[in-house]
Amino acid sequence: MAATGMATNATERYIRAAKAAGCPRDQIENFVRAGIVLQPRQLAASAAARLCDAPDGPIEVGYGGARGGGKSHWGIAQVVADDCQRHDGLKALILRKVGKANRENFEDLRRRVLFGVPNEYNRGEGVLYLPNGSRVFLGHFQKESDIDAYLGIEYDIVLIEEATTLTARKRRDIQTCCRTSKPEWRPRMYSTANPGGVGHAEYKQRFVAPHQVGKAILSLGLQTGDTRFIPATVDDNTFVNPEYRKVLDSLTGWQKRAWRYGDWDIAAGQFFTTWSRERHVIPPIAEIPFDWRLWCALDYGFTHYTVVYLLAQSGDGDIYHLAEHAERGWLVERHAAAWNAVLGRHGVPRWRLAAFVAGADVFAKKHDGGTIADQYRAHGFTLTAANTDRINGAAEYLKRLGDVSAGIRPTLYVSESCPRLAECIPSLQHDPHRPEDVLKWDTDEDGVGGDDPYDASRYGVMVVARPASGYGANPLAGYRG
Ligand SMILES: Nc1ncnc2c1ncn2[C@@H]1O[C@H](COP(=O)(O)OP(=O)(O)OP(=O)(O)O)[C@@H](O)[C@H]1O
Ligand SMILES: [Mg+2]
């Protein structure tokens, strides 16, 4: 066996580890020849990839389930350094998400992983050519529809990165392209994924749950069916840089459970697990310091509640909810008068309000041609459009709540004068179909519950959020893996 570039002892140790993971000899040779040293979980995923050769073997292999587990590294190594070497003229499609992938770009990855694999990359075409005639097509997507450009052609291998960011439907569309006219090749799909995203529930059901049932953490032999799943977290990646690990460790709430620990049960239960009444609720502030920045946020409703907050930001950036108004079945005139009175009680003249944001519905034209916003304007309040992005809003909220148990101090507080908000936040649940979002929740007939206080507060919080880039409030945005 060629051992280019690797000391003999290290090579022997590597070969032993690969054998233990279930990799066949010629696969190990492919990696050794390319100078690619995969880690134990990555080797297990590659062993699973080889199971796809058998007529009754799996047709899909999933790898990862948390951030930083070496997913991207594994995917390229498996497709290019192993699969494409085994058969002349194979056609592979690699679908990667842009945004983060823009930075963690393919050329970086190619340099890091494929330095020992002869290949030529035509950047303009987005195609990687191998000497044996195998080709790897590189597809990038930002939104689902971007993928359609790559469909309709036949691919022997498809690798999807960040698969839970696609709907189950789109994954099925892609699957129809994964077919072959080569009798000696069995087509297969590989995917890497993190918990959360529109495809979370389906991916969990198709990959993670069968794996958990088999309790086959490391033993592939116990898994059966069409899929294999090899979990990996940052703990399985000794090559990750310490800063990235630190970013993961400083996450809070569902993001920590999902991205740091690979917990797929995030969809079950409370969203803001880091909320603590003792820490976040403060006594009413009698006198608002003159240098605090003040603004209002409104979530409109008629049968549902109209909820309004007076928010403030202190010099150190902390956000305070100072006053709350929540009523339903009222006309605008009455709300406006009531809110005027609230501002008066807090000694806040209108000119101190830097903004008054509201959800999009107040700007929708009604049958008489007017809008709710017009009515508020007639009563002296000029509403502007809030940033209503639910997922970035929820992420920003989570970040501001901090994490007392991890020593991360909150930067969001709710005064006792906002009892509905204090009640609402801890009662919010994950949306099972979009676990990184809060489940929508209507008030019942008796006016109990509902998410209107959260929506209004979220609009308010987003007023001072940093501007949404491609990844908005994602704390890992821009990380260079
Ligand atoms: N077998 C390996 N040999 C050398 N470096 C590796 C290996 N596996 C992973 N790495 C390095 O670890 C870092 C993180 O790996 P990678 O980007 O593949 O993880 P990921 O799971 O795709 O992360 P993310 O969740 O951020 O997309 C990268 O710098 C990568 O080059
Ligand atoms: Mg990656």
Side-chain angles (χ1 to χ4, degrees), residues 267-277 309 390 397 401 419-432 437-444 447-455:
Q270 189 182 7
F271 195 95
F272 294 112
T273 49
T274 44
W275 167 263
S276 143
R277 202 179 165 89
Y309 289 103
R390 294 184 61 87
Y397 219 91
L401 288 178
R420 281 178 181 272
L421 185 59
E423 211 174 280
C424 176
I425 299 171
S427 65
L428 296 169
Q429 305 284 304
H430 286 274
D431 180 343
D437 193 7
V438 170
L439 183 67
K440 287 188 185 160
W441 178 34
D442 287 342
T443 311
D444 72 14
V448 176
D451 54 11
D452 311 301
Y454 165 67
D455 283 343

Side-chain angles (χ1 to χ4, degrees), residues 71-73 96 100 104 161-162 192:
K71 300 184 296 292
S72 301
H73 199 101
R96 311 192 76 221
K100 185 191 70 175
E104 189 204 84
E161 280 246 62
E162 319 248 346
T192 69

Side-chain angles (χ1 to χ4, degrees), residues 137-179:
F137 292 77
L138 199 74
H140 280 128
F141 64 95
Q142 191 162 34
K143 40 185 201 322
E144 287 218 326
S145 55
D146 297 342
I147 285 175
D148 298 345
Y150 306 99
L151 304 182
I153 315 172
E154 188 174 277
Y155 300 99
D156 304 300
I157 307 161
V158 176
L159 163 68
I160 311 175
E161 280 246 62
E162 319 248 346
T164 49
T165 64
L166 300 176
T167 58
R169 204 204 134 123
K170 194 53 75 178
R171 282 192 50 247
R172 277 195 294 275
D173 288 351
I174 299 166
Q175 197 132 31
T176 61
C177 304
C178 190
R179 54 178 195 264

Side-chain angles (χ1 to χ4, degrees), residues 14 35-40 42 63-75 77 96 100 104 108-109 112-113 161-162 192-194 232-234 236-241 244 248 259 476 479-481:
Y14 180 43
I36 293 175
V37 182
L38 294 182
Q39 307 179 75
Q42 293 172 321
Y63 177 65
R67 301 296 305 264
K71 300 184 296 292
S72 301
H73 199 101
W74 170 74
R96 311 192 76 221
K100 185 191 70 175
E104 189 204 84
D108 280 356
L109 204 59
R112 272 204 308 263
V113 185
E161 280 246 62
E162 319 248 346
T192 69
N194 298 309
T233 71
V234 70
D236 301 301
N237 183 4
T238 53
F239 296 101
V240 80
N241 66 43
Y244 190 46
L248 290 174
W259 292 352
L476 294 168
Y479 163 73
R480 228 185 139 84

